[in-house]
C-alpha cells in the first residue's frame, strides 16, 4: 500500500485547503472589489453596533423594572403568608366560611371519608 501524505488522509484538512484556495481566488481586485469589501465590513460593523445598543437598551429596561417586580413579588408573598396563617389558625369551619363556595367545589381534608353501606335487596 503506497504511503499517503497527511493531506490525503484527513478529509477535514482537504476541505480546509479547498476553502482557502477558493478564498484566495475570490479576493477583490480593482476599485469595485475593494469598495464592495469595504461596504460589507461597514455594514457588518453597523449591525454589530446596532445589536450592542439593542442589548444595552433591553438590559437597562430590565434593570429599571427590577424594583417594581420586587415590590410586586413581596406583596404576593405577603398575601400568600397571610392566607397560610389564616388557613392554619382558622380550622376547618373557618376555612369553609372564608373561601368562596363555588358550585360543585368540595372541601375535602385528607383522611376524612365516610363508608356507606350498600344494601342489596334487604341483605345485610
Amino acid at each position: 500500500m503506497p504511503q499517503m501524505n497527511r493531506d490525503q488522509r484527513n478529509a477535514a484538512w482537504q476541505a480546509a485547503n479547498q476553502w482557502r484556495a477558493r478564498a484566495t481566488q475570490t479576493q477583490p481586485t480593482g476599485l469595485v472589489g475593494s469598495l464592495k469589501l469595504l461596504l460589507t465590513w461597514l455594514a457588518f460593523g453597523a449591525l454589530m453596533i446596532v445589536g450592542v445598543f439593542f442589548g444595552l437598551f433591553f438590559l437597562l429596561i430590565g434593570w429599571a423594572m427590577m424594583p417594581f417586580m420586587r415590590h410586586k413579588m413581596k406583596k404576593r408573598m405577603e398575601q400568600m403568608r397571610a392566607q397560610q396563617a389564616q388557613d392554619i389558625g382558622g380550622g376547618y369551619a373557618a376555612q369553609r366560611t372564608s373561601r368562596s363556595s363555588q358550585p360543585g367545589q368540595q372541601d375535602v381534608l385528607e383522611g376524612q371519608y365516610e363508608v356507606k353501606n350498600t344494601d342489596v335487596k334487604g341483605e345485610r
Side-chain angles (χ1 to χ4, degrees):
M1 182 170 150
Q3 183 68 23
M4 296 176 6
N5 65 11
R6 180 182 176 121
D7 294 348
Q8 293 171 339
R9 287 182 295 182
N10 192 347
W13 191 266
Q14 286 179 348
N17 281 336
Q18 290 172 0
W19 182 79
R20 188 184 315 141
R22 278 193 307 247
T24 56
Q25 289 173 358
T26 58
Q27 283 186 351
T29 55
L31 182 61
V32 176
S34 298
L35 191 59
K36 282 184 183 178
L37 183 64
L38 178 68
L39 289 176
T40 302
W41 276 106
L42 285 176
F44 175 73
L47 285 175
M48 290 295 287
I49 290 171
V50 167
V52 166
F53 279 125
F54 269 120
L56 287 174
F57 175 73
F58 285 117
L59 179 71
L60 291 175
I61 294 261
W63 281 348
M65 288 176 61
M66 281 176 70
F68 299 110
M69 292 301 296
R70 184 170 183 252
H71 178 70
K72 184 178 178 181
M73 295 300 286
K74 280 177 72 173
K75 288 188 95 169
R76 186 178 297 169
M77 286 301 295
E78 287 173 4
Q79 287 176 350
M80 288 173 58
R81 284 189 187 123
Q83 181 67 36
Q84 185 179 13
Q86 184 179 11
D87 287 348
I88 290 172
Y92 183 69
Q95 286 179 6
R96 286 191 61 99
T97 58
S98 69
R99 293 181 184 165
S100 62
S101 59
Q102 298 173 354
Q105 180 183 2
Q106 297 178 354
D107 289 335
V108 178
L109 294 178
E110 185 177 341
Q112 290 187 350
Y113 60 93
E114 180 179 338
V115 177
K116 294 184 180 179
N117 292 332
T118 57
D119 292 336
V120 180
K121 294 185 181 182
E123 295 179 13
R124 187 162 177 165

